Amino acid sequence: MKILVTGGLGYIGSHTVVELSNNGFECVVVDNLMNSDSSVLDRIQKLSADPIHFMKRDLLDKHQVAEVFELFHFDAVIHFAGLKSPAESVVNPLRYFEENLGTTINLLNEMQRNNVKKLVFSSSATVYGDLTEPPVYEKALTSILNPYGRTKLMIEEILQDLSKSDPEWSIAILRFFNPIGAHSSGTIGERPNGVPNNLMPYITQVASGRRQFLNIYGDDYPTPDGTGVRDFIHVMDLAHGHLKALNYLSNHSGNHIFNLGTGKGYSVLDLVRTFEEVNGVKIPYKIVDRRPGDIAVSYAAPSKAERELGWKAERGLNEMCEDAWRWEKDLVKPSKSF
Ligand code: UD1
């Protein structure tokens, strides 16, 4: 099967391409390199069974999207490309709406025109907002905390309308919880631009001495140790979930939503302590004010994915911490830098 992977050089995309290639799928990556680096391609290639095709193209430009579909005939598309910072989206909502919605509409139009009607879309647990007590099931009410989250929900709604309009579409919407970790080889991993927003990349940068200490945003949440609780999931488990979703789409039409999480909640301090223990490094931290927009607790009910996709997260917190640190150590070695 030939798969178009948009945003395939990004954090989750790159791990997914490796997983797909090593399981017999042929991958064509399209990425505009806005939030990624072309050297990731060589790294993915080293880990993959077969050659990965790459096209630097911008999905906001209809002509560039059409060109991709002229060159290849795809069996399915996995759509990762998009802007992903909640904080930035509050400051610049129009950029988020234009980029995330515009690229998706161009992609869907071209898929329809070429009769490619299987799609796996990267959504986020952020669409649940703060209305529901965890564990969160797919049928929970949605609520939006920022424009980034709104773009994810709007795209989900567009996809629902699309599959209602034409029963030939087969769409899997995957709501990711908190992906962390890296490929166990240390060859690919998360590489945020500038100061990391997310917890794990910040921890690894403190561990390597790139930053002095971690700010923990609040220790007065109604949780066992007062810090926020999240469903951290190993990025390779998430990558494997995409493979399962593609298989599912080969014999299911319509629109299907799945949580991809472990079903377990760990606190910020749990993660810091586990990281320190398994890697033998110290993570100095300071407790600071809560970060606006953060919720206290979020973790998935992943039973639907287990039942229908035959997928379950297998890697634990220790492995997530070991792999994240191996990747960061590799990144800071002068000979290995990008
Ligand atoms: C965030 C986004 C979410 C997005 C996800 C992608 C917000 C409100 N939500 O989720 O929409 O889909 O990233 O991965 O931004 N923390 C610290 N110190 C830090 C960084 C984080 O204490 O330097 C804490 C946070 O307060 C939170 C937990 O760590 O309790 C996880 O934060 P983060 O990794 O940013 O993920 P989310 O906020 O859950």
Side-chain angles (χ1 to χ4, degrees):
M1 271 179 96
K2 192 173 284 179
I3 314 295
L4 168 61
V5 185
T6 75
L9 297 190
Y11 173 43
I12 304 171
S14 57
H15 291 79
T16 302
V17 169
V18 169
E19 180 74 4
L20 292 181
S21 174
N22 291 332
N23 284 281
F25 293 86
E26 189 181 347
C27 295
V28 178
V29 168
V30 169
D31 199 302
N32 66 1
L33 302 180
M34 191 199 279
N35 255 329
S36 53
D37 188 296
S38 58
S39 61
V40 175
L41 183 62
D42 297 335
R43 291 166 170 256
I44 299 176
Q45 196 63 78
K46 277 190 197 125
L47 299 171
S48 299
D50 291 310
I52 306 298
H53 310 277
F54 172 65
M55 296 176 79
K56 179 177 182 290
R57 293 290 184 282
D58 193 336
L59 301 177
L60 257 191
D61 179 342
K62 285 180 189 175
H63 304 292
Q64 295 193 30
V65 188
E67 201 190 340
V68 173
F69 281 79
E70 271 158 31
L71 281 174
F72 297 96
H73 177 74
F74 300 110
D75 297 290
V77 175
I78 304 185
H79 183 34
F80 289 109
L83 300 176
K84 59 173 187 178
S85 161
E88 190 192 15
S89 76
V90 173
V91 178
N92 202 344
L94 287 180
R95 178 160 182 247
Y96 270 68
F97 291 122
E98 181 175 22
E99 187 73 37
N100 289 2
L101 299 179
T103 53
T104 305
I105 304 260
N106 287 344
L107 177 69
L108 294 173
N109 268 323
E110 209 53 48
M111 287 177 71
Q112 180 145 280
R113 198 167 293 132
N114 289 277
N115 209 27
V116 179
K117 294 184 179 172
K118 289 187 183 7
L119 174 72
V120 179
F121 173 62
S122 305
S123 188
S124 165
T126 195
V127 300
Y128 294 119
D130 54 2
L131 285 185
T132 309
E133 283 288 303
V136 189
Y137 288 86
E138 289 84 352
K139 60 179 186 296
L141 285 178
T142 51
S143 82
I144 293 305
L145 302 174
N146 53 58
Y148 156 75
R150 195 178 307 284
T151 65
K152 291 291 180 193
L153 191 60
M154 287 171 87
I155 294 170
E156 288 196 8
E157 288 168 345
I158 290 169
L159 295 176
Q160 270 159 24
D161 287 341
L162 187 61
S163 59
K164 271 186 218 150
S165 75
D166 176 354
E168 283 182 8
W169 278 90
S170 303
I171 299 173
I173 291 171
L174 305 182
R175 291 179 175 164
F176 307 160
F177 279 71
N178 288 62
I180 60 170
H183 192 272
S184 59
S185 63
T187 310
I188 53 171
E190 186 170 13
R191 187 168 169 259
N193 284 334
V195 183
N197 288 314
N198 295 119
L199 179 59
M200 183 55 106
Y202 210 107
I203 290 178
T204 57
Q205 292 195 7
V206 171
S208 67
R210 287 163 78 187
R211 309 206 177 267
Q212 266 189 310
F213 55 85
L214 170 73
N215 288 311
I216 293 186
Y217 298 133
D219 67 350
D220 56 352
Y221 284 104
T223 62
D225 64 25
T227 64
V229 166
R230 293 292 182 275
D231 186 336
F232 299 105
I233 173 169
H234 197 293
V235 65
M236 287 307 295
D237 278 332
L238 204 63
H240 189 61
H242 287 75
L243 186 146
K244 293 289 195 177
L246 280 177
N247 290 340
Y248 182 85
L249 294 184
S250 59
N251 51 15
H252 291 82
S253 58
N255 199 307
H256 307 272
I257 299 179
F258 297 101
N259 285 340
L260 294 188
T262 64
K264 295 189 196 83
Y266 288 101
S267 74
V268 173
L269 275 174
D270 288 334
L271 189 67
V272 169
R273 291 193 180 121
T274 306
F275 190 95
E276 291 184 328
E277 269 166 36
V278 301
N279 295 318
V281 287
K282 204 81 202 119
I283 306 295
Y285 65 81
K286 288 185 184 167
I287 305 290
V288 298
D289 286 347
R290 291 181 181 192
R291 183 171 65 177
D294 273 356
I295 60 175
V297 182
S298 160
Y299 58 91
S303 47
K304 185 178 175 197
E306 186 174 353
R307 198 173 57 241
E308 295 189 27
L309 300 181
W311 171 89
K312 198 171 184 300
E314 282 168 359
R315 297 160 176 89
L317 209 58
N318 287 5
E319 203 172 336
M320 300 182 212
C321 290
E322 280 165 5
D323 289 343
W325 180 224
R326 189 179 301 107
W327 159 244
E328 176 71 22
K329 279 191 293 192
D330 183 77
L331 201 59
V332 292
K333 273 186 211 156
S335 60
K336 294 272 181 68
S337 61
F338 283 83

